[in-house]
Amino acid sequence: MTSQVAILGAGVMGETLLSGLLRAGRRPEELLITERRPERATELRERYGVDVVTNVDAAAKADTLVLVVKPQDMPELLAEIAPAVQPSQTVVSLAAGITTGFIESRLPEGVAVVRVMPNTPALVDEGMAAISRGAHCDESHLVLAEGLLAATGRVIRVPEKQQDAVTAISGSGPAYIFFVVESMIEAGVHMGLPRSTATELVVQTVVGSAKLLRETGEHPTVLRERVTSPGGTTAAAVRELEDHKVRAAFLSAIEAARNRSRDLAAE
């Protein structure tokens, strides 16, 4: 068995992981990627210098298989690669809602499966990935998965029963932030700012606020209160947000995402 990592699925997240691993120091010959469309395969070969192979070839050659396909495509992929998979291999799945048990039941007995929930900031090496162990995982399999995902951001371990909540918080989370950013930019335009000015103001404010949270380690309530002078402009804005039950709306929205993740798993 070679020390190759195969990424099965060359969509956005598959390519993101591939490019991140190369930036982190992996050699092209240590990596394989799969892609059915000939023009896309040629593009990947030329851009990254990696071999583009079939799913079955990837399963036969690599000792770590990273499955980066849509949840609805997972049964077909597992049926295709199962005859080539060996119990000594490690399977890392990035498919939302697909349990380790589902994958284990369709592969040879004893294959170690690690479930991952990534998010799109991995595109700029600021991803947040949560990993969970399957029935046949040991510490070495988790460390291997952490090493792969660390190429595109941060990694934490969670029990698999928490993955639906992770999906709702960090998996879908960037969309909530973008929604808030959209709203703030529109407010700036409504008040007479050029859109480009409003965009620069909002985006840097979000980046700076996130950095302040990370680097100070302070509770967000403490940081918010420092900006909120009694009777001031921020206090007036926060009162409006509370009157419109924005906090409760976020809770309901995130619970809806969690519930949908459970539904996807059940389907």
Side-chain angles (χ1 to χ4, degrees):
M1 184 71 68
T2 67
S3 59
Q4 286 180 315
V5 174
I7 300 169
L8 283 70
V12 172
M13 194 56 72
E15 185 177 359
T16 295
L17 182 57
L18 172 65
S19 62
L21 288 169
L22 289 167
R23 287 193 300 277
R26 296 265 183 165
R27 299 192 308 274
E29 56 268 27
E30 296 175 334
L31 301 169
L32 300 171
I33 194 161
T34 72
E35 171 56 53
R36 295 186 189 278
R37 293 170 297 158
E39 67 279 6
R40 173 70 167 152
T42 300
E43 177 188 341
L44 292 166
R45 282 193 193 94
E46 291 176 351
R47 182 177 299 169
Y48 300 109
V50 297
D51 281 342
V52 184
V53 298
T54 67
N55 291 328
V56 173
D57 283 345
K61 291 179 180 178
D63 60 348
T64 302
L65 308 178
V66 186
L67 312 184
V68 197
V69 297
K70 295 183 177 69
Q72 61 267 32
D73 295 333
M74 185 63 80
E76 181 183 354
L77 175 63
L78 293 173
E80 182 182 3
I81 67 173
V85 173
Q86 302 295 320
S88 59
Q89 291 172 295
T90 302
V91 172
V92 180
S93 169
L94 275 64
I98 300 294
T99 65
T100 58
F102 179 94
I103 297 171
E104 288 161 354
S105 69
R106 286 158 175 80
L107 294 177
E109 178 66 26
V111 174
V113 179
V114 181
R115 178 177 172 182
V116 180
M117 172 46 61
N119 67 9
T120 56
L123 287 162
V124 291
D125 294 343
E126 288 291 351
M128 183 69 251
I131 67 173
S132 301
R133 69 171 74 228
H136 308 297
C137 280
D138 59 26
E139 179 68 15
S140 67
H141 300 114
L142 292 175
V143 169
L144 185 154
E146 285 172 333
L148 293 174
L149 276 302
T152 57
R154 298 192 174 203
V155 189
I156 61 169
R157 300 181 185 184
V158 300
E160 187 166 12
K161 65 183 179 181
Q162 295 178 1
Q163 281 285 7
D164 293 318
V166 169
T167 301
I169 294 291
S170 62
S172 300
Y176 317 148
I177 305 300
F178 300 146
F179 189 88
V180 170
V181 168
E182 279 183 276
S183 302
M184 292 174 68
I185 291 171
E186 290 305 318
V189 172
H190 179 74
M191 292 186 289
L193 291 173
R195 184 171 293 276
S196 60
T197 300
T199 299
E200 184 169 0
L201 290 168
V202 174
V203 170
Q204 180 56 31
T205 298
V206 171
V207 171
S209 299
K211 193 169 183 180
L212 198 59
L213 275 166
R214 175 184 284 179
E215 294 192 3
T216 65
E218 301 239 45
H219 194 280
T221 301
V222 172
L223 294 174
R224 177 174 60 78
E225 288 176 348
R226 284 188 191 150
V227 186
T228 312
S229 304
T233 58
T234 309
V238 170
R239 189 187 70 186
E240 284 293 318
L241 293 172
E242 295 290 10
D243 286 349
H244 285 83
K245 297 182 170 53
V246 171
R247 193 187 302 265
F250 266 103
L251 177 58
S252 296
I254 293 169
E255 285 181 339
R258 188 266 325 265
N259 295 342
R260 182 57 185 149
S261 179
R262 288 176 176 171
D263 292 344
L264 287 170
E267 291 170 11

